[in-house]
Amino acid sequence: MTLENSEGEFTARFAEYAAQGTLYPQREGSPLMEFAAGGRVLYLFDRNGPYAAKAGPAQVIVHGVLESGALVALPGNQEEKLVLLGVSALEGQGQVVTVSRQVCVVQARIPLVLAAFAPLPELQPGDWVSFRTTAPLHGFLLD
């Protein structure tokens, strides 16, 4: 099962959920973009590159693959949290913006497009969830 058909299709589908932030210059030979947004510095696997990203202000779709069973509904209103795990994984909680069978957009300091290889739990926009992703996070740079 695939989570995307192409980089272009994924970017067009989720462009409205791009995070606003700052890209820093990529190190020579590194496939990771250094992206500062929401008070965090994320290392994202560059899905548009290599070296397509220019340093400076940017809009980037931050896409993570959920660990198995790691998207859990929370009761009531919560607080947005986003914690870096290692070099390129996340743990946090946030509010569901939109959800489909295998993809959930969550606002957790920044918008995150979170996907799973199995169906997600029953969720609706406005629900609060906790989550944990695997590494690496993927970054889709908007032009």
Side-chain angles (χ1 to χ4, degrees):
M1 172 159 297
T2 61
L3 298 176
E4 63 189 59
N5 294 323
S6 70
E7 289 84 2
E9 179 271 335
F10 190 90
T11 301
R13 183 175 170 200
F14 294 105
E16 69 183 289
Y17 305 113
Q20 304 283 335
T22 302
L23 276 174
Y24 292 97
Q26 284 181 267
R27 296 181 61 162
E28 186 66 32
S30 174
L32 297 180
M33 296 186 295
E34 188 174 355
F35 181 59
R40 303 291 183 264
V41 176
L42 307 175
Y43 291 90
L44 310 173
F45 182 72
D46 185 353
R47 294 300 304 273
N48 301 96
Y51 309 113
K54 303 281 188 259
Q59 292 181 293
V60 177
I61 301 165
V62 179
H63 171 52
V65 176
L66 293 161
E67 286 186 357
S68 180
L71 184 72
V72 178
L74 299 173
N77 289 330
Q78 302 285 328
E79 181 180 324
E80 291 182 18
K81 295 180 183 175
L82 193 61
V83 177
L84 301 168
L85 302 174
V87 173
S88 188
L90 296 172
E91 180 177 76
Q93 62 186 39
Q95 194 167 29
V96 174
V97 176
T98 185
V99 65
S100 65
R101 187 168 179 261
Q102 291 178 261
V103 178
C104 183
V105 177
V106 174
Q107 176 64 39
R109 298 183 62 98
I110 61 171
L112 300 166
V113 179
L114 303 175
F117 288 105
L120 298 175
E122 292 276 332
L123 296 170
Q124 296 179 6
D127 288 348
W128 284 85
V129 294
S130 65
F131 60 87
R132 186 179 180 113
T133 70
T134 62
L137 296 168
H138 292 222
F140 295 81
L141 180 65
L142 298 186
D143 295 327

